[in-house]
Amino acid sequence: MHRTPLAADQLRRSLIESPELSFFTHIDVVESTGSTNADLITRAGDPDVDRLVLLAEAQEQGRGRHARTWVSPPRAQISMSVLVRLRGIAPEALGWLPLLTGVAVVDALRATAGVAANLKWPNDVLVDGRKVAGILAEVAASNGETVVVVGMGVNVSLTEAELPVPHATSLVLAGAESVDRTAIVQSMLTEFARRFTLWREAGWHTADLAAAYRERCATLGAQVRAELPGGQTLTGIATDVDEAGRLLVGNRPLSAADVTHLRAEY
């Protein structure tokens, strides 16, 4: 299958030509790497590095939650990480960065790919109940500042045989109106920059961000099963997210759990 490469020059020009994307300082595109998150984490110690974007046409050691790894065919996904410095943020608010990223990815996929994307707490993007994208944020402290690398992986042209797990999907399989990876990357970065800027200007307060997240989260109101650390499970209705971005199942806040939507495809 022929898969078109990312238009690296176009992406770099967009930093100058697009007012929204001027938020970012640089976009690097590499043919292959182990992990885009790991590559940017190694640069977090440089105080001059901020709002840096790294994309890879192929990842050999892509990382997800709980250290899960995956390998994708070259140019079949969007594998992207962004390094940002969150000056003056309270530690308890940090959990909102991956949720903000999820909102940005959902809005970009709806607008640019034309799919009915929504969120599954905490960091999955679904189409028709199947996972099309995942998000992983990792903290790297640098010179007393809070530095976070947030990774985004979107399945674009994967076939059924190439999917990493049976409950996944890709934009092609979901019947997307567009699978132009360069356009989708630009849309994702635009939405991320807009949401991040509003959050920062609000002094890292989360009222508006939380409202946007709730509107897009399919987990809320669903009967779920949560697999907790230590092998415990909890079943109940997911009622809300709290001020720290934790999922409330009944009245119990969950900060780390694998959540399954019951009576659903995923």
Side-chain angles (χ1 to χ4, degrees):
M1 177 188 299
H2 174 72
R3 290 173 164 128
T4 303
L6 289 163
D9 289 344
Q10 178 181 332
L11 289 170
R12 284 188 284 268
R13 284 198 310 272
S14 69
L15 300 186
I16 301 170
E17 297 171 354
S18 168
E20 297 88 355
L21 293 182
S22 65
F23 169 89
F24 301 99
T25 57
H26 194 71
I27 297 178
D28 285 327
V29 180
V30 298
E31 193 61 32
S32 179
T33 191
S35 161
T36 55
N37 263 30
D39 289 353
L40 288 190
I41 286 172
T42 65
R43 303 190 61 180
D46 183 343
D48 295 326
V49 173
D50 188 16
R51 291 169 284 129
L52 177 65
V53 181
L54 176 62
L55 291 126
E57 295 285 23
Q59 280 195 122
E60 305 303 326
Q61 298 170 348
R63 299 208 302 267
R65 294 178 71 233
H66 308 299
R68 296 173 182 135
T69 61
W70 75 93
V71 176
S72 170
R75 302 174 179 171
Q77 290 187 315
I78 293 168
S79 300
M80 177 167 67
S81 296
V82 179
L83 182 151
V84 286
R85 295 179 183 271
L86 297 93
R87 295 178 175 90
I89 193 170
E92 58 270 19
L94 275 177
W96 279 98
L97 182 60
L99 305 188
L100 175 152
T101 307
V103 171
V105 173
V106 162
D107 287 355
L109 294 184
R110 288 178 179 181
T112 307
V115 293
N118 55 26
L119 292 161
K120 172 178 172 284
W121 184 91
N123 63 349
D124 289 347
V125 178
L126 308 182
V127 177
D128 296 327
R130 300 175 72 181
K131 180 176 177 177
V132 74
I135 294 153
L136 177 67
E138 298 181 273
V139 177
S142 171
N143 299 323
E145 288 185 327
T146 300
V147 185
V148 180
V149 174
V150 58
M152 295 156 259
V154 183
N155 297 333
V156 178
S157 63
L158 293 172
T159 65
E160 286 281 1
E162 293 170 333
L163 294 174
V165 290
H167 56 254
T169 190
S170 68
L171 294 178
V172 165
L173 293 173
E177 295 173 4
S178 171
V179 291
D180 181 334
R181 289 188 306 138
T182 300
I184 294 169
V185 165
Q186 290 176 308
S187 185
M188 289 167 59
L189 291 176
T190 297
E191 293 294 338
F192 179 90
R194 185 173 69 85
R195 292 280 176 190
F196 187 93
T197 299
L198 289 172
W199 187 32
R200 183 182 59 199
E201 291 175 348
W204 309 118
H205 294 296
T206 59
D208 291 343
L209 175 55
Y213 185 84
R214 291 183 181 107
E215 288 175 3
R216 294 156 178 79
C217 185
T219 304
L220 300 184
Q223 181 85 1
V224 301
R225 182 178 66 250
E227 299 177 16
L228 308 175
Q232 293 180 307
T233 61
L234 174 67
T235 301
I237 300 293
T239 56
D240 203 356
V241 288
D242 70 7
E243 66 280 358
R246 298 177 299 180
L247 182 70
L248 300 180
V249 178
N251 293 319
R252 180 171 178 179
L254 304 180
S255 57
D258 277 340
V259 171
T260 301
H261 294 180
L262 302 179
R263 305 194 203 101
E265 297 172 19
Y266 179 35

